[in-house]
Amino acid sequence: MDQERDSALLQMRKFVEKLGSSAEGFGDPTLMRFLIARSMEVDKAAKMFVQWQKWRAAMVPNGFISYSEVPEELEARKIFLQDLSKNKYPVLIIQACRHFPPKDQIQFKKFVVYLLDKTIRSGFKGREIGNEKLIGVLDLQNISYKNVDARGLITGFQFLQAYYPDRLAKCYILHMPWFFVSVWKLVSRFLERATLEKIVIVTNEIEREEFIREVGEEVLPEEYGGRAKLTAIQDVELTPMENGTTN
């Protein structure tokens, strides 16, 4: 298996060069995420990697999204970043009742990059490996029709699939109201099978207890059955990086 893995990685690096790009400076764990996302098909993984490089250069030319680029989205204080779960994954919580469909789609897309980058980076503890993952928690409690944003959800998941391959460990959806079921069916059409398999809709007490057990009471806020406090993502200070920017 290791030989097959090493061979695939070597072939992928060569294929990336044939596509006019370079994988120099990127570790094997990073490239493996793209291979896993494309079922170890080297040519498809290489194309995905090159597309990601081009997207990253255009969307995040400075290497990161600053607070000043997404002020309106951050002011809502709807995204929370907790500590690491039992499996050492950072936990991102989205309170949908504080969200409203954005008028500025460019700022919203940058906001998605901001929150995904910072969440993943919070798992580095100062040094990136390349295969870090995250746990997402989408809390739909107290939402009304004015909070529903199918387009925003689709954008978030599509970014994960196309530009953050194999970064999602699991996504929990809590307190889904009856009227949101049709919205979720629509959103699901845009999700790959691998993504859908990582999504858990918590609907009863047994599933809620399993959710708490898997994530960890020390990490989850009191509102979700844990012992921690909610921390807005912009209030989280990260350990300085030792080896470059977020990939």
Side-chain angles (χ1 to χ4, degrees), residues 115-135:
L115 65 91
L116 290 176
D117 277 5
K118 190 165 185 177
T119 300
I120 293 166
R121 186 179 159 188
S122 72
F124 294 174
K125 296 304 180 185
R127 185 168 183 80
E128 179 183 9
I129 296 174
N131 59 357
E132 295 84 357
K133 301 179 187 291
L134 65 90
I135 290 177

Side-chain angles (χ1 to χ4, degrees), residues 28-56:
D28 289 349
T30 296
L31 299 185
M32 273 302 299
R33 292 192 292 106
F34 290 86
L35 282 164
I36 291 171
R38 290 297 175 261
S39 303
M40 300 302 291
E41 295 187 36
V42 175
D43 56 341
K44 292 182 179 180
K47 289 177 182 177
M48 184 183 189
F49 177 77
V50 172
Q51 288 172 350
W52 167 77
Q53 286 182 308
K54 293 177 180 177
W55 170 83
R56 189 82 192 177

